[in-house]
Amino acid sequence: MARILVAEDESAIAEFIRRALTAAGHQATVAADGAAAWRLALAEDFDLLLSDVRMPVMDGVALALALGADRPDLPVLLMTGFASERERADDLAGFVSGVLQKPFSMADLLAAVAAALSARNA
């Protein structure tokens, strides 16, 4: 199906996402921070970036902005559990495909990923 880059610094959440995406037939690559995800996104071809907003080194908003300049063809789906971070993410409507509110279920995750991927292919 799709190659998805996951930027998430909490290992338990990253593993949940990786397993859910893999079970749905996607290939998931996990990066522990925004800078590592940015390097991977420039070096490899991904169909979607799924990124936490709050991370060390480079947060998800900075990552979305950097990739908007370097890889404008790569859709970005952000995740956050913080209301203030959601407001920051919502301000990036031109750069992101959506914002997934934490905590989320596997069904919520897969629906958001499907929507972001279908918007890319539209």
Side-chain angles (χ1 to χ4, degrees):
M1 295 209 70
R3 289 193 71 213
I4 301 173
L5 175 57
V6 178
E8 173 60 66
D9 61 313
E10 293 186 41
S11 60
I13 295 172
E15 182 60 15
F16 166 76
I17 293 168
R18 187 194 66 74
R19 285 182 183 213
L21 294 174
T22 301
H26 301 294
Q27 180 184 356
T29 301
V30 176
D33 62 62
W38 178 72
R39 288 189 299 272
L40 280 167
L42 295 181
E44 298 182 36
D45 188 31
F46 291 98
D47 300 305
L48 177 68
L49 167 67
L50 176 60
S51 177
D52 190 13
V53 172
R54 187 177 284 187
M55 291 183 294
V57 185
M58 176 189 281
D59 72 13
V61 171
L63 176 58
L65 291 171
L67 288 175
D70 296 330
R71 289 281 318 275
D73 60 315
L74 180 63
V76 177
L77 178 60
L78 295 175
M79 312 174 277
T80 187
F82 299 94
S84 62
E85 299 299 331
R86 177 159 184 112
E87 290 174 15
R88 286 181 62 217
D90 285 340
D91 289 341
L92 298 176
F95 292 97
V96 300
S97 298
V99 182
L100 186 58
Q101 187 68 40
K102 289 180 178 180
F104 48 79
S105 67
M106 182 186 294
D108 294 336
L109 170 67
L110 296 178
V113 166
L117 289 170
S118 67
R120 177 187 192 206
N121 297 325

